[in-house]
Amino acid sequence: MFNETILIEYLPILIFIVLALGISGAAVIGSLLVAKQKPDPDKNAAYECGFDAFSDTRGKFDVRFYLVTLLFIIFDLEIAFLFPWAISLKDIGMFGFWSMMAFLGVLTVGFIYEWKKGALDWE
Amino acid sequence: MILAAVFYLFAFILLLSGFLVITARNPVHSVLFLILAFFNAAGLFVLLGAEFIAMILVIVYVGAVAVLFLFVVMMLDIDFAHLRKGAMQYVPLGLLVGVILLTELVISVSAWQFNSLSQQNLAVPEIGLNAATNTQALGAVLYTQYVYAFQLAGLILLVAMIGAIVLTHRVRPGVRKQSIESQNARRPEEAMEILKVQSGAGIS
């Protein structure tokens, strides 16, 4: 372990995780122990306003959702590249700045392409 | 001590949820276990001191890739119980392939020898890890020293973007889209007409 001072900073998060696990676990296990469990088919059935369920919960999604997510991932990654750049911009000089500008330029070409293609329109 | 305990906690949950990803009957549950596995892997990265990778794992994998998987699962609309029905008859073939693959892996890994020079590459990071934070150390070299790899990453993202649009974007004929220009270009004179209607006469 190269330095443990970083990990000390994460101690509150660890405590938070342990507390969250404890409380949520206590809620689930406590209700299992304390409450009366008498399941029957009607109690376990899916509740749909008095009707029998018409169909499975898994309906088909439109493929357009998928396109939106894919484009979202790409810009998400682009932003991931921006974080280290923003922090170390002072040290890497003009070359680092223009290197990022070229990167953003390439992705802007893609952005213009998708805009002009109408991939962002919902119809 | 507490570090080891935390490591084993994360590693245990990671392995358990990884196992549940492939055994869960409901594919949506599989994806949720995958998200849990991602979170625990992020925890392991934090323990290694790789904070930046841990945070990117949460942002990119949990925030985006898991959603993508969820959409794939939702979109396929496959009756998995029906698919599994005949799966048992392929077990011998699957076992055969698995055993062959495992033997190959064992043979090649046991014959593997690290080049003694590769140890040097590992031992000398570009920047002392104690001198700067993760993100700083990454930023100091990524945009200057590794500029070609960085630009290549940009081009790969561009190809992915164009590929996604080409593969999934369909222009549907007969869909009435909103056209903001023509809305703005409309003037009252061409859009409406004021008629003087005589009482009792009506409009023809």
Side-chain angles (χ1 to χ4, degrees), chain A residues 1-3 7 10 58-61 66-67 69 73 76 81 85 87-88 99 103 110 114 117-118 123, chain B residues 26 46-48 51 59 64 71-72 74-75 77 130 136 139 143 151 154 158 161 165 168-169 172:
Chain A
M1 204 54 57
F2 64 96
N3 69 5
L7 296 177
Y10 281 94
R58 188 143 323 110
K60 261 187 206 158
F61 267 47
Y66 192 72
L67 180 61
T69 346
I73 286 183
D76 208 25
F81 275 109
W85 178 76
I87 282 186
S88 59
S99 144
F103 176 81
E114 75 179 52
K117 267 293 213 185
E123 296 175 354
Chain B
N26 189 335
V46 168
L47 288 184
L48 281 173
E51 295 169 285
I59 293 175
F71 276 154
V72 172
M74 295 296 218
M75 235 166 7
D77 188 27
N130 288 319
Q136 265 175 325
Y143 307 104
Q151 299 299 336
L158 177 68
M161 201 186 290
I165 293 169
T168 57
H169 185 60
R172 293 161 196 229

mmCIF file of all heavy atoms in Angstrom, chain A residues 1-3 7 10 58-61 66-67 69 73 76 81 85 87-88 99 103 110 114 117-118 123, chain B residues 26 46-48 51 59 64 71-72 74-75 77 130 136 139 143 151 154 158 161 165 168-169 172:
data_model
loop_
_atom_site.group_PDB
_atom_site.id
_atom_site.type_symbol
_atom_site.label_atom_id
_atom_site.label_comp_id
_atom_site.label_asym_id
_atom_site.label_seq_id
_atom_site.Cartn_x
_atom_site.Cartn_y
_atom_site.Cartn_z
ATOM 1 N N MET A 1 0.854 -1.202 0.000
ATOM 2 C CA MET A 1 0.000 0.000 0.000
ATOM 3 C C MET A 1 0.877 1.235 0.000
ATOM 4 O O MET A 1 1.687 1.417 0.906
ATOM 5 C CB MET A 1 -0.853 -0.062 1.259
ATOM 6 C CG MET A 1 -2.135 0.707 1.172
ATOM 7 S SD MET A 1 -3.144 0.261 -0.222
ATOM 8 C CE MET A 1 -3.367 -1.496 0.062
ATOM 9 N N PHE A 2 0.788 2.037 -1.038
ATOM 10 C CA PHE A 2 1.797 3.086 -1.181
ATOM 11 C C PHE A 2 1.575 4.264 -0.247
ATOM 12 O O PHE A 2 2.488 4.782 0.326
ATOM 13 C CB PHE A 2 1.890 3.548 -2.629
ATOM 14 C CG PHE A 2 0.631 4.197 -3.116
ATOM 15 C CD1 PHE A 2 0.520 5.568 -3.080
ATOM 16 C CD2 PHE A 2 -0.410 3.439 -3.607
ATOM 17 C CE1 PHE A 2 -0.625 6.173 -3.517
ATOM 18 C CE2 PHE A 2 -1.558 4.040 -4.043
ATOM 19 C CZ PHE A 2 -1.667 5.414 -4.009
ATOM 20 N N ASN A 3 0.354 4.692 -0.099
ATOM 21 C CA ASN A 3 0.140 5.613 1.018
ATOM 22 C C ASN A 3 -1.273 5.443 1.539
ATOM 23 O O ASN A 3 -2.222 5.277 0.791
ATOM 24 C CB ASN A 3 0.452 7.065 0.648
ATOM 25 C CG ASN A 3 -0.534 7.636 -0.320
ATOM 26 O OD1 ASN A 3 -1.510 6.979 -0.658
ATOM 27 N ND2 ASN A 3 -0.307 8.835 -0.777
ATOM 28 N N LEU A 7 -6.535 6.750 1.930
ATOM 29 C CA LEU A 7 -7.616 5.879 2.384
ATOM 30 C C LEU A 7 -8.300 6.441 3.614
ATOM 31 O O LEU A 7 -9.484 6.210 3.821
ATOM 32 C CB LEU A 7 -7.063 4.483 2.657
ATOM 33 C CG LEU A 7 -6.527 3.806 1.410
ATOM 34 C CD1 LEU A 7 -5.924 2.476 1.747
ATOM 35 C CD2 LEU A 7 -7.629 3.635 0.397
ATOM 36 N N TYR A 10 -11.211 8.323 2.808
ATOM 37 C CA TYR A 10 -12.401 7.577 2.415
ATOM 38 C C TYR A 10 -13.110 6.935 3.585
ATOM 39 O O TYR A 10 -14.120 6.269 3.404
ATOM 40 C CB TYR A 10 -12.026 6.499 1.393
ATOM 41 C CG TYR A 10 -11.839 7.042 0.017
ATOM 42 C CD1 TYR A 10 -10.592 7.402 -0.438
ATOM 43 C CD2 TYR A 10 -12.928 7.225 -0.824
ATOM 44 C CE1 TYR A 10 -10.421 7.933 -1.686
ATOM 45 C CE2 TYR A 10 -12.772 7.759 -2.072
ATOM 46 C CZ TYR A 10 -11.508 8.099 -2.498
ATOM 47 O OH TYR A 10 -11.360 8.624 -3.740
ATOM 48 N N ARG A 58 -42.207 -7.395 -19.361
ATOM 49 C CA ARG A 58 -41.125 -7.071 -20.262
ATOM 50 C C ARG A 58 -41.664 -6.806 -21.655
ATOM 51 O O ARG A 58 -41.757 -7.701 -22.474
ATOM 52 C CB ARG A 58 -40.089 -8.188 -20.292
ATOM 53 C CG ARG A 58 -38.875 -7.789 -21.069
ATOM 54 C CD ARG A 58 -37.599 -8.314 -20.499
ATOM 55 N NE ARG A 58 -37.610 -8.317 -19.052
ATOM 56 C CZ ARG A 58 -37.649 -9.412 -18.338
ATOM 57 N NH1 ARG A 58 -37.650 -10.559 -18.913
ATOM 58 N NH2 ARG A 58 -37.657 -9.327 -17.046
ATOM 59 N N GLY A 59 -42.037 -5.554 -21.910
ATOM 60 C CA GLY A 59 -42.450 -5.190 -23.257
ATOM 61 C C GLY A 59 -41.227 -4.810 -24.060
ATOM 62 O O GLY A 59 -40.154 -4.597 -23.509
ATOM 63 N N LYS A 60 -41.414 -4.739 -25.359
ATOM 64 C CA LYS A 60 -40.277 -4.361 -26.199
ATOM 65 C C LYS A 60 -40.021 -2.866 -26.099
ATOM 66 O O LYS A 60 -40.946 -2.076 -26.166
ATOM 67 C CB LYS A 60 -40.583 -4.715 -27.647
ATOM 68 C CG LYS A 60 -39.951 -6.010 -28.058
ATOM 69 C CD LYS A 60 -40.136 -6.232 -29.540
ATOM 70 C CE LYS A 60 -40.095 -7.708 -29.856
ATOM 71 N NZ LYS A 60 -40.757 -8.027 -31.103
ATOM 72 N N PHE A 61 -38.774 -2.507 -25.963
ATOM 73 C CA PHE A 61 -38.387 -1.101 -26.005
ATOM 74 C C PHE A 61 -38.078 -0.725 -27.437
ATOM 75 O O PHE A 61 -37.627 -1.540 -28.225
ATOM 76 C CB PHE A 61 -37.126 -0.881 -25.177
ATOM 77 C CG PHE A 61 -37.383 -0.486 -23.770
ATOM 78 C CD1 PHE A 61 -38.302 -1.164 -23.016
ATOM 79 C CD2 PHE A 61 -36.694 0.556 -23.191
ATOM 80 C CE1 PHE A 61 -38.531 -0.813 -21.706
ATOM 81 C CE2 PHE A 61 -36.922 0.914 -21.893
ATOM 82 C CZ PHE A 61 -37.834 0.231 -21.148
ATOM 83 N N TYR A 66 -31.934 2.975 -27.327
ATOM 84 C CA TYR A 66 -30.576 2.447 -27.383
ATOM 85 C C TYR A 66 -29.628 3.450 -28.033
ATOM 86 O O TYR A 66 -28.509 3.661 -27.553
ATOM 87 C CB TYR A 66 -30.617 1.155 -28.195
ATOM 88 C CG TYR A 66 -29.374 0.332 -28.119
ATOM 89 C CD1 TYR A 66 -29.051 -0.351 -26.960
ATOM 90 C CD2 TYR A 66 -28.535 0.216 -29.213
ATOM 91 C CE1 TYR A 66 -27.921 -1.106 -26.896
ATOM 92 C CE2 TYR A 66 -27.403 -0.551 -29.144
ATOM 93 C CZ TYR A 66 -27.107 -1.213 -27.985
ATOM 94 O OH TYR A 66 -25.986 -1.961 -27.917
ATOM 95 N N LEU A 67 -30.095 4.079 -29.082
ATOM 96 C CA LEU A 67 -29.268 5.082 -29.760
ATOM 97 C C LEU A 67 -28.949 6.229 -28.814
ATOM 98 O O LEU A 67 -27.796 6.681 -28.728
ATOM 99 C CB LEU A 67 -29.996 5.597 -31.001
ATOM 100 C CG LEU A 67 -29.255 6.654 -31.800
ATOM 101 C CD1 LEU A 67 -27.953 6.107 -32.309
ATOM 102 C CD2 LEU A 67 -30.094 7.133 -32.953
ATOM 103 N N THR A 69 -28.798 6.128 -25.560
ATOM 104 C CA THR A 69 -27.815 5.702 -24.555
ATOM 105 C C THR A 69 -26.421 5.622 -25.137
ATOM 106 O O THR A 69 -25.460 6.013 -24.475
ATOM 107 C CB THR A 69 -28.152 4.309 -24.000
ATOM 108 O OG1 THR A 69 -29.452 3.977 -24.375
ATOM 109 C CG2 THR A 69 -27.982 4.278 -22.543
ATOM 110 N N ILE A 73 -23.199 7.565 -23.750
ATOM 111 C CA ILE A 73 -21.949 6.958 -23.277
ATOM 112 C C ILE A 73 -20.756 7.647 -23.898
ATOM 113 O O ILE A 73 -19.758 7.927 -23.234
ATOM 114 C CB ILE A 73 -21.916 5.457 -23.628
ATOM 115 C CG1 ILE A 73 -22.852 4.693 -22.732
ATOM 116 C CG2 ILE A 73 -20.525 4.901 -23.474
ATOM 117 C CD1 ILE A 73 -22.811 3.232 -22.965
ATOM 118 N N ASP A 76 -20.200 10.848 -22.308
ATOM 119 C CA ASP A 76 -19.765 10.577 -20.946
ATOM 120 C C ASP A 76 -18.257 10.332 -20.909
ATOM 121 O O ASP A 76 -17.541 10.872 -20.060
ATOM 122 C CB ASP A 76 -20.514 9.333 -20.458
ATOM 123 C CG ASP A 76 -20.692 9.318 -18.959
ATOM 124 O OD1 ASP A 76 -20.688 10.403 -18.373
ATOM 125 O OD2 ASP A 76 -20.841 8.233 -18.400
ATOM 126 N N PHE A 81 -12.468 12.293 -20.021
ATOM 127 C CA PHE A 81 -11.143 12.768 -20.434
ATOM 128 C C PHE A 81 -10.910 14.214 -20.024
ATOM 129 O O PHE A 81 -9.766 14.645 -19.920
ATOM 130 C CB PHE A 81 -10.990 12.659 -21.954
ATOM 131 C CG PHE A 81 -10.557 11.316 -22.419
ATOM 132 C CD1 PHE A 81 -11.429 10.483 -23.082
ATOM 133 C CD2 PHE A 81 -9.275 10.882 -22.196
ATOM 134 C CE1 PHE A 81 -11.039 9.238 -23.511
ATOM 135 C CE2 PHE A 81 -8.866 9.649 -22.623
ATOM 136 C CZ PHE A 81 -9.753 8.818 -23.279
ATOM 137 N N TRP A 85 -7.518 16.733 -17.550
ATOM 138 C CA TRP A 85 -7.058 17.874 -18.333
ATOM 139 C C TRP A 85 -7.298 19.165 -17.564
ATOM 140 O O TRP A 85 -6.423 20.031 -17.463
ATOM 141 C CB TRP A 85 -7.814 17.888 -19.661
ATOM 142 C CG TRP A 85 -7.503 19.013 -20.552
ATOM 143 C CD1 TRP A 85 -6.375 19.158 -21.305
ATOM 144 C CD2 TRP A 85 -8.329 20.138 -20.827
ATOM 145 N NE1 TRP A 85 -6.454 20.313 -22.025
ATOM 146 C CE2 TRP A 85 -7.633 20.938 -21.747
ATOM 147 C CE3 TRP A 85 -9.580 20.546 -20.375
ATOM 148 C CZ2 TRP A 85 -8.159 22.121 -22.230
ATOM 149 C CZ3 TRP A 85 -10.105 21.714 -20.854
ATOM 150 C CH2 TRP A 85 -9.397 22.490 -21.765
ATOM 151 N N ILE A 87 -7.550 19.564 -14.397
ATOM 152 C CA ILE A 87 -6.718 19.678 -13.197
ATOM 153 C C ILE A 87 -5.290 20.061 -13.547
ATOM 154 O O ILE A 87 -4.677 20.890 -12.895
ATOM 155 C CB ILE A 87 -6.768 18.345 -12.416
ATOM 156 C CG1 ILE A 87 -8.081 18.259 -11.656
ATOM 157 C CG2 ILE A 87 -5.602 18.246 -11.462
ATOM 158 C CD1 ILE A 87 -8.177 17.087 -10.750
ATOM 159 N N SER A 88 -4.751 19.472 -14.619
ATOM 160 C CA SER A 88 -3.334 19.680 -14.893
ATOM 161 C C SER A 88 -3.099 20.660 -16.031
ATOM 162 O O SER A 88 -2.010 20.691 -16.590
ATOM 163 C CB SER A 88 -2.671 18.344 -15.208
ATOM 164 O OG SER A 88 -3.303 17.771 -16.319
ATOM 165 N N SER A 99 -4.014 19.983 -27.698
ATOM 166 C CA SER A 99 -4.268 18.543 -27.857
ATOM 167 C C SER A 99 -5.713 18.221 -27.479
ATOM 168 O O SER A 99 -6.412 17.493 -28.191
ATOM 169 C CB SER A 99 -3.252 17.792 -26.996
ATOM 170 O OG SER A 99 -3.789 16.663 -26.443
ATOM 171 N N PHE A 103 -9.000 16.987 -29.808
ATOM 172 C CA PHE A 103 -9.870 15.884 -29.378
ATOM 173 C C PHE A 103 -11.332 16.320 -29.405
ATOM 174 O O PHE A 103 -12.201 15.636 -29.963
ATOM 175 C CB PHE A 103 -9.433 15.478 -27.970
ATOM 176 C CG PHE A 103 -10.265 14.414 -27.325
ATOM 177 C CD1 PHE A 103 -10.065 13.086 -27.632
ATOM 178 C CD2 PHE A 103 -11.212 14.739 -26.370
ATOM 179 C CE1 PHE A 103 -10.806 12.107 -27.016
ATOM 180 C CE2 PHE A 103 -11.951 13.762 -25.753
ATOM 181 C CZ PHE A 103 -11.751 12.444 -26.078
ATOM 182 N N GLY A 110 -18.395 14.645 -34.941
ATOM 183 C CA GLY A 110 -19.408 13.619 -34.731
ATOM 184 C C GLY A 110 -20.717 14.184 -34.241
ATOM 185 O O GLY A 110 -21.792 13.739 -34.636
ATOM 186 N N GLU A 114 -24.376 13.883 -35.998
ATOM 187 C CA GLU A 114 -25.588 13.290 -35.437
ATOM 188 C C GLU A 114 -26.718 14.301 -35.407
ATOM 189 O O GLU A 114 -27.886 13.942 -35.557
ATOM 190 C CB GLU A 114 -25.319 12.695 -34.066
ATOM 191 C CG GLU A 114 -25.174 13.690 -32.945
ATOM 192 C CD GLU A 114 -24.933 13.004 -31.616
ATOM 193 O OE1 GLU A 114 -24.021 12.187 -31.568
ATOM 194 O OE2 GLU A 114 -25.646 13.287 -30.656
ATOM 195 N N LYS A 117 -27.990 14.498 -38.977
ATOM 196 C CA LYS A 117 -28.675 13.257 -39.338
ATOM 197 C C LYS A 117 -30.040 13.154 -38.687
ATOM 198 O O LYS A 117 -30.853 12.315 -39.055
ATOM 199 C CB LYS A 117 -27.837 12.062 -38.879
ATOM 200 C CG LYS A 117 -26.888 11.497 -39.912
ATOM 201 C CD LYS A 117 -27.624 10.880 -41.050
ATOM 202 C CE LYS A 117 -26.870 9.704 -41.620
ATOM 203 N NZ LYS A 117 -27.529 9.163 -42.805
ATOM 204 N N GLY A 118 -30.268 13.976 -37.651
ATOM 205 C CA GLY A 118 -31.541 13.907 -36.951
ATOM 206 C C GLY A 118 -31.582 12.817 -35.909
ATOM 207 O O GLY A 118 -32.653 12.372 -35.517
ATOM 208 N N GLU A 123 -39.017 12.696 -33.209
ATOM 209 C CA GLU A 123 -40.118 12.497 -34.144
ATOM 210 C C GLU A 123 -41.470 12.726 -33.487
ATOM 211 O O GLU A 123 -41.857 11.976 -32.617
ATOM 212 C CB GLU A 123 -40.114 11.086 -34.770
ATOM 213 C CG GLU A 123 -38.886 10.877 -35.610
ATOM 214 C CD GLU A 123 -38.797 9.452 -36.132
ATOM 215 O OE1 GLU A 123 -39.622 8.633 -35.736
ATOM 216 O OE2 GLU A 123 -37.910 9.180 -36.948
ATOM 217 N N ASN B 26 -33.721 -14.099 -13.741
ATOM 218 C CA ASN B 26 -34.280 -12.919 -14.379
ATOM 219 C C ASN B 26 -33.125 -12.063 -14.921
ATOM 220 O O ASN B 26 -32.242 -11.667 -14.159
ATOM 221 C CB ASN B 26 -35.066 -12.146 -13.325
ATOM 222 C CG ASN B 26 -35.858 -11.035 -13.920
ATOM 223 O OD1 ASN B 26 -35.503 -10.534 -14.972
ATOM 224 N ND2 ASN B 26 -36.909 -10.646 -13.248
ATOM 225 N N VAL B 46 -10.255 1.843 -5.197
ATOM 226 C CA VAL B 46 -9.938 2.846 -4.179
ATOM 227 C C VAL B 46 -8.910 2.293 -3.203
ATOM 228 O O VAL B 46 -7.953 2.980 -2.823
ATOM 229 C CB VAL B 46 -11.215 3.291 -3.443
ATOM 230 C CG1 VAL B 46 -10.857 4.097 -2.217
ATOM 231 C CG2 VAL B 46 -12.082 4.121 -4.353
ATOM 232 N N LEU B 47 -9.070 1.023 -2.831
ATOM 233 C CA LEU B 47 -8.104 0.413 -1.910
ATOM 234 C C LEU B 47 -6.716 0.364 -2.521
ATOM 235 O O LEU B 47 -5.715 0.447 -1.816
ATOM 236 C CB LEU B 47 -8.538 -1.004 -1.550
ATOM 237 C CG LEU B 47 -9.728 -1.134 -0.627
ATOM 238 C CD1 LEU B 47 -9.968 -2.583 -0.302
ATOM 239 C CD2 LEU B 47 -9.492 -0.353 0.638
ATOM 240 N N LEU B 48 -6.653 0.220 -3.862
ATOM 241 C CA LEU B 48 -5.351 0.208 -4.524
ATOM 242 C C LEU B 48 -4.765 1.601 -4.640
ATOM 243 O O LEU B 48 -3.625 1.766 -5.037
ATOM 244 C CB LEU B 48 -5.487 -0.369 -5.939
ATOM 245 C CG LEU B 48 -5.561 -1.862 -6.069
ATOM 246 C CD1 LEU B 48 -5.867 -2.239 -7.497
ATOM 247 C CD2 LEU B 48 -4.245 -2.463 -5.657
ATOM 248 N N GLU B 51 -7.832 6.183 -7.387
ATOM 249 C CA GLU B 51 -9.115 6.855 -7.161
ATOM 250 C C GLU B 51 -9.797 7.230 -8.455
ATOM 251 O O GLU B 51 -11.004 7.082 -8.605
ATOM 252 C CB GLU B 51 -8.895 8.140 -6.377
ATOM 253 C CG GLU B 51 -8.388 7.944 -4.995
ATOM 254 C CD GLU B 51 -7.949 9.264 -4.427
ATOM 255 O OE1 GLU B 51 -6.879 9.751 -4.829
ATOM 256 O OE2 GLU B 51 -8.673 9.807 -3.614
ATOM 257 N N ILE B 59 -18.876 6.292 -12.804
ATOM 258 C CA ILE B 59 -19.577 7.202 -13.718
ATOM 259 C C ILE B 59 -19.894 6.502 -15.031
ATOM 260 O O ILE B 59 -21.036 6.511 -15.503
ATOM 261 C CB ILE B 59 -18.727 8.461 -13.984
ATOM 262 C CG1 ILE B 59 -18.600 9.292 -12.722
ATOM 263 C CG2 ILE B 59 -19.359 9.306 -15.079
ATOM 264 C CD1 ILE B 59 -17.697 10.460 -12.870
ATOM 265 N N ALA B 64 -23.546 4.496 -17.346
ATOM 266 C CA ALA B 64 -23.883 4.415 -18.761
ATOM 267 C C ALA B 64 -23.938 2.981 -19.279
ATOM 268 O O ALA B 64 -24.937 2.574 -19.868
ATOM 269 C CB ALA B 64 -22.872 5.225 -19.571
ATOM 270 N N PHE B 71 -31.094 -1.702 -21.302
ATOM 271 C CA PHE B 71 -31.886 -1.469 -22.503
ATOM 272 C C PHE B 71 -31.844 -2.681 -23.415
ATOM 273 O O PHE B 71 -32.858 -3.055 -24.002
ATOM 274 C CB PHE B 71 -31.373 -0.254 -23.260
ATOM 275 C CG PHE B 71 -31.920 1.034 -22.734
ATOM 276 C CD1 PHE B 71 -31.227 2.209 -22.881
ATOM 277 C CD2 PHE B 71 -33.138 1.066 -22.098
ATOM 278 C CE1 PHE B 71 -31.727 3.391 -22.388
ATOM 279 C CE2 PHE B 71 -33.648 2.238 -21.599
ATOM 280 C CZ PHE B 71 -32.933 3.405 -21.744
ATOM 281 N N VAL B 72 -30.656 -3.296 -23.523
ATOM 282 C CA VAL B 72 -30.556 -4.481 -24.377
ATOM 283 C C VAL B 72 -31.472 -5.568 -23.850
ATOM 284 O O VAL B 72 -32.234 -6.192 -24.601
ATOM 285 C CB VAL B 72 -29.098 -4.977 -24.441
ATOM 286 C CG1 VAL B 72 -29.029 -6.303 -25.146
ATOM 287 C CG2 VAL B 72 -28.237 -3.974 -25.143
ATOM 288 N N MET B 74 -34.102 -5.183 -22.000
ATOM 289 C CA MET B 74 -35.493 -4.791 -22.177
ATOM 290 C C MET B 74 -35.918 -4.905 -23.633
ATOM 291 O O MET B 74 -37.059 -5.231 -23.934
ATOM 292 C CB MET B 74 -35.671 -3.334 -21.746
ATOM 293 C CG MET B 74 -35.435 -3.099 -20.299
ATOM 294 S SD MET B 74 -36.609 -3.955 -19.314
ATOM 295 C CE MET B 74 -36.883 -2.768 -18.044
ATOM 296 N N MET B 75 -34.969 -4.616 -24.543
ATOM 297 C CA MET B 75 -35.334 -4.545 -25.950
ATOM 298 C C MET B 75 -35.530 -5.919 -26.558
ATOM 299 O O MET B 75 -36.326 -6.101 -27.468
ATOM 300 C CB MET B 75 -34.238 -3.810 -26.716
ATOM 301 C CG MET B 75 -34.762 -2.657 -27.480
ATOM 302 S SD MET B 75 -33.497 -1.583 -28.053
ATOM 303 C CE MET B 75 -31.990 -2.322 -27.697
ATOM 304 N N ASP B 77 -36.780 -8.719 -25.465
ATOM 305 C CA ASP B 77 -38.080 -9.339 -25.287
ATOM 306 C C ASP B 77 -38.025 -10.836 -25.572
ATOM 307 O O ASP B 77 -38.754 -11.372 -26.389
ATOM 308 C CB ASP B 77 -39.123 -8.659 -26.192
ATOM 309 C CG ASP B 77 -40.518 -9.156 -25.870
ATOM 310 O OD1 ASP B 77 -40.723 -9.554 -24.716
ATOM 311 O OD2 ASP B 77 -41.369 -9.152 -26.761
ATOM 312 N N ASN B 130 3.330 9.362 -4.883
ATOM 313 C CA ASN B 130 3.107 10.117 -3.660
ATOM 314 C C ASN B 130 3.161 11.609 -3.915
ATOM 315 O O ASN B 130 2.713 12.398 -3.092
ATOM 316 C CB ASN B 130 4.150 9.735 -2.619
ATOM 317 C CG ASN B 130 3.893 8.347 -2.095
ATOM 318 O OD1 ASN B 130 2.753 7.984 -1.853
ATOM 319 N ND2 ASN B 130 4.937 7.574 -1.957
ATOM 320 N N GLN B 136 -4.012 14.184 -11.277
ATOM 321 C CA GLN B 136 -2.920 15.045 -11.729
ATOM 322 C C GLN B 136 -1.868 14.240 -12.463
ATOM 323 O O GLN B 136 -1.388 14.650 -13.521
ATOM 324 C CB GLN B 136 -2.266 15.718 -10.530
ATOM 325 C CG GLN B 136 -2.812 17.093 -10.265
ATOM 326 C CD GLN B 136 -2.222 17.674 -9.006
ATOM 327 O OE1 GLN B 136 -1.962 16.943 -8.057
ATOM 328 N NE2 GLN B 136 -2.019 18.957 -9.018
ATOM 329 N N GLY B 139 -3.164 13.454 -15.839
ATOM 330 C CA GLY B 139 -3.255 14.617 -16.714
ATOM 331 C C GLY B 139 -1.905 15.117 -17.159
ATOM 332 O O GLY B 139 -1.766 15.666 -18.254
ATOM 333 N N TYR B 143 -1.983 14.112 -22.073
ATOM 334 C CA TYR B 143 -2.263 15.035 -23.182
ATOM 335 C C TYR B 143 -1.012 15.490 -23.906
ATOM 336 O O TYR B 143 -1.098 16.131 -24.939
ATOM 337 C CB TYR B 143 -3.033 16.242 -22.651
ATOM 338 C CG TYR B 143 -4.232 15.812 -21.893
ATOM 339 C CD1 TYR B 143 -4.238 15.859 -20.505
ATOM 340 C CD2 TYR B 143 -5.326 15.285 -22.551
ATOM 341 C CE1 TYR B 143 -5.321 15.406 -19.797
ATOM 342 C CE2 TYR B 143 -6.412 14.840 -21.850
ATOM 343 C CZ TYR B 143 -6.410 14.901 -20.484
ATOM 344 O OH TYR B 143 -7.479 14.429 -19.783
ATOM 345 N N GLN B 151 -5.424 11.097 -29.063
ATOM 346 C CA GLN B 151 -6.171 11.459 -30.268
ATOM 347 C C GLN B 151 -6.835 10.234 -30.882
ATOM 348 O O GLN B 151 -7.928 10.308 -31.437
ATOM 349 C CB GLN B 151 -5.261 12.131 -31.293
ATOM 350 C CG GLN B 151 -4.625 13.405 -30.809
ATOM 351 C CD GLN B 151 -5.640 14.457 -30.448
ATOM 352 O OE1 GLN B 151 -6.755 14.439 -30.933
ATOM 353 N NE2 GLN B 151 -5.268 15.347 -29.560
ATOM 354 N N GLY B 154 -9.992 9.658 -29.279
ATOM 355 C CA GLY B 154 -11.017 10.540 -29.831
ATOM 356 C C GLY B 154 -11.572 10.008 -31.133
ATOM 357 O O GLY B 154 -12.789 10.011 -31.359
ATOM 358 N N LEU B 158 -15.318 8.784 -32.183
ATOM 359 C CA LEU B 158 -16.032 9.294 -33.363
ATOM 360 C C LEU B 158 -16.599 8.138 -34.189
ATOM 361 O O LEU B 158 -17.766 8.174 -34.620
ATOM 362 C CB LEU B 158 -15.083 10.140 -34.212
ATOM 363 C CG LEU B 158 -15.657 10.691 -35.502
ATOM 364 C CD1 LEU B 158 -16.715 11.717 -35.204
ATOM 365 C CD2 LEU B 158 -14.577 11.311 -36.361
ATOM 366 N N MET B 161 -19.558 6.711 -32.498
ATOM 367 C CA MET B 161 -20.733 7.578 -32.635
ATOM 368 C C MET B 161 -21.387 7.397 -33.996
ATOM 369 O O MET B 161 -22.602 7.176 -34.113
ATOM 370 C CB MET B 161 -20.266 9.024 -32.466
ATOM 371 C CG MET B 161 -21.329 9.990 -32.082
ATOM 372 S SD MET B 161 -20.666 11.654 -32.106
ATOM 373 C CE MET B 161 -19.583 11.655 -30.739
ATOM 374 N N ILE B 165 -25.057 5.620 -35.034
ATOM 375 C CA ILE B 165 -26.108 6.300 -35.804
ATOM 376 C C ILE B 165 -26.440 5.507 -37.061
ATOM 377 O O ILE B 165 -27.615 5.301 -37.396
ATOM 378 C CB ILE B 165 -25.662 7.732 -36.147
ATOM 379 C CG1 ILE B 165 -25.567 8.553 -34.872
ATOM 380 C CG2 ILE B 165 -26.640 8.381 -37.097
ATOM 381 C CD1 ILE B 165 -24.893 9.858 -35.052
ATOM 382 N N THR B 168 -28.430 2.201 -36.007
ATOM 383 C CA THR B 168 -29.741 2.216 -35.352
ATOM 384 C C THR B 168 -30.650 3.344 -35.802
ATOM 385 O O THR B 168 -31.838 3.297 -35.516
ATOM 386 C CB THR B 168 -29.589 2.313 -33.828
ATOM 387 O OG1 THR B 168 -28.846 3.478 -33.524
ATOM 388 C CG2 THR B 168 -28.903 1.108 -33.272
ATOM 389 N N HIS B 169 -30.119 4.337 -36.482
ATOM 390 C CA HIS B 169 -30.990 5.452 -36.825
ATOM 391 C C HIS B 169 -31.783 5.140 -38.086
ATOM 392 O O HIS B 169 -31.216 4.797 -39.117
ATOM 393 C CB HIS B 169 -30.170 6.718 -37.029
ATOM 394 C CG HIS B 169 -31.035 7.922 -37.269
ATOM 395 N ND1 HIS B 169 -31.958 8.351 -36.357
ATOM 396 C CD2 HIS B 169 -31.130 8.761 -38.314
ATOM 397 C CE1 HIS B 169 -32.582 9.399 -36.835
ATOM 398 N NE2 HIS B 169 -32.102 9.675 -38.015
ATOM 399 N N ARG B 172 -38.074 7.531 -40.490
ATOM 400 C CA ARG B 172 -39.380 6.964 -40.786
ATOM 401 C C ARG B 172 -40.124 7.896 -41.713
ATOM 402 O O ARG B 172 -40.247 9.083 -41.418
ATOM 403 C CB ARG B 172 -40.183 6.813 -39.506
ATOM 404 C CG ARG B 172 -39.573 5.796 -38.628
ATOM 405 C CD ARG B 172 -40.055 5.969 -37.232
ATOM 406 N NE ARG B 172 -39.157 5.224 -36.383
ATOM 407 C CZ ARG B 172 -39.559 4.376 -35.462
ATOM 408 N NH1 ARG B 172 -40.822 4.201 -35.240
ATOM 409 N NH2 ARG B 172 -38.692 3.719 -34.743
#
